[in-house]
Amino acid sequence: PPAASEAAAMPESLWAAAPMVDAVEVLVAKKAASGDLVVVQGQVQDFGDLATFRLVDSSLPPCTDQCATPWDFCCEDPADILAATINVEFLDGDLPASWSLKGAKGLDHLTKVCVTGTLHTDEAGNARISATSIAKL
């Protein structure tokens, strides 16, 4: 990836201009049909190198006293973490965009956010959201 000083910034147009209404938690959103438009809220677990991150249901408490990196949720059962997590990606065509979300508008691990996008679930049950907007809560 390009050096941080050369990296493209997240487009301002992706930040929601108004509060998102009717947002549901990750566990509820994952029950929607693939292809549905969803509005999902949760906390950022981790960021990818590209325009991607993992969103965790707000019911999962970060393990601030037990983990060196509380966003790993190391005190929770791995199966519970997997069930309460969804991947979020902002696309450029069919692939994740080349910019990172970490640091954009102060986004960091465990930041509470809301995203709007299309839910995609594969045959194995893996879910991801092709996001079109984001807002900090």
Side-chain angles (χ1 to χ4, degrees):
S5 61
E6 301 170 9
M10 180 178 175
E12 191 68 30
S13 62
L14 296 176
W15 290 98
M20 296 182 196
V21 295
D22 299 327
V24 298
E25 288 288 337
V26 172
L27 287 166
V28 174
K30 288 177 80 171
K31 294 176 184 174
S34 188
D36 281 358
L37 182 65
V38 293
V39 181
V40 185
Q41 64 185 16
Q43 52 194 329
V44 175
Q45 181 184 26
D46 209 356
F47 296 90
D49 290 333
L50 301 174
T52 63
F53 65 92
R54 283 190 307 272
L55 188 65
V56 178
D57 196 275
S58 297
S59 67
L60 222 62
C63 305
T64 53
D65 296 335
Q66 300 168 1
C67 303
T69 52
W71 54 90
D72 286 344
F73 298 89
C74 73
C75 58
E76 298 294 326
D77 183 293
D80 292 342
I81 298 169
L82 183 60
T85 304
I86 195 165
N87 292 319
V88 177
E89 58 189 14
F90 287 87
L91 300 177
D92 182 8
D94 291 335
L95 300 173
S98 61
W99 37 266
S100 175
L101 288 119
K102 186 169 186 191
K105 299 261 187 183
L107 286 181
D108 202 355
H109 299 104
L110 302 176
T111 302
K112 295 199 183 276
V113 297
C114 187
V115 295
T116 300
T118 304
L119 177 70
H120 303 281
T121 307
D122 65 20
E123 303 80 31
N126 300 309
R128 66 182 171 84
I129 297 173
S130 297
T132 55
S133 63
I134 185 171
K136 283 175 60 174
L137 297 178

